[in-house]
Amino acid sequence: MNTENTKAQMRKGILEFCILSLIQSREMYVSDLIDELKKGKLDVVEGTLYPLLTRLKNGEFLNYRWEESTSGPPRKYYQITEKGSLFLKELQNTWNELTESVNQITKPQ
C-alpha cells in the first residue's frame, strides 16, 4: 500500500473544510488561500484549488467579486455566503466528532 497516496487522500478530504474556514475570517484571493494553506503544511496548487472553488461557488457556499490589480489582471476575491457559513458549522461539528473518535480509537492502550 502506498502511504503517500493515503496521506494525499486524507488531505483532499478536508480541503473544503479548510478553505471555508479560511474564507470565513476574511475574503481571500487564490494566492492568499495557497499561502495560508502552506502555512498549515497543506501544499495545494492552483490546479487543485480552482475546481474546488468553482464547486463551492456553484453550490452557493461562496461568492466572489472582481478587483482590479496594479500588478496584472483583475483578481477574484472569494467570500463565504450564509449557506456556506451553515455548511461550515456542520463540517466543524463533524470534524470535532471525527477527531474525538479517531483520537479515542488510536490512543495507546
Side-chain angles (χ1 to χ4, degrees):
M1 182 175 267
N2 183 337
T3 309
E4 288 305 312
N5 184 48
T6 301
K7 291 192 303 189
Q9 291 302 316
M10 290 172 79
R11 284 187 203 101
K12 283 181 186 177
I14 60 166
L15 200 48
E16 281 184 7
F17 176 43
C18 293
I19 288 167
L20 289 172
S21 294
L22 288 169
I23 295 174
Q24 175 75 14
S25 63
R26 65 181 171 94
E27 65 179 17
M28 299 184 102
Y29 175 59
V30 170
S31 297
D32 298 332
L33 283 167
I34 290 172
D35 291 344
E36 291 299 319
L37 290 166
K38 282 183 181 178
K39 285 179 190 176
K41 300 197 184 343
L42 286 175
D43 288 330
V44 178
V45 294
E46 288 182 13
T48 300
L49 200 52
Y50 278 114
L52 179 55
L53 290 168
T54 298
R55 195 166 63 245
L56 289 169
K57 188 221 169 273
N58 290 344
E60 300 177 350
F61 301 118
L62 293 178
N63 282 327
Y64 64 82
R65 68 175 180 82
W66 288 99
E67 185 174 302
E68 291 297 322
S69 170
T70 57
S71 61
R75 296 178 173 185
K76 250 187 215 182
Y77 282 85
Y78 291 88
Q79 60 268 140
I80 197 164
T81 63
E82 186 175 331
K83 183 177 178 181
S85 291
L86 293 172
F87 182 55
L88 178 58
K89 285 180 186 177
E90 288 180 39
L91 292 177
Q92 182 67 57
N93 290 336
T94 301
W95 177 255
N96 291 341
E97 291 170 5
L98 182 61
T99 55
E100 186 177 313
S101 296
V102 170
N103 288 337
Q104 183 175 353
I105 291 166
T106 60
K107 73 179 179 187
Q109 299 297 323

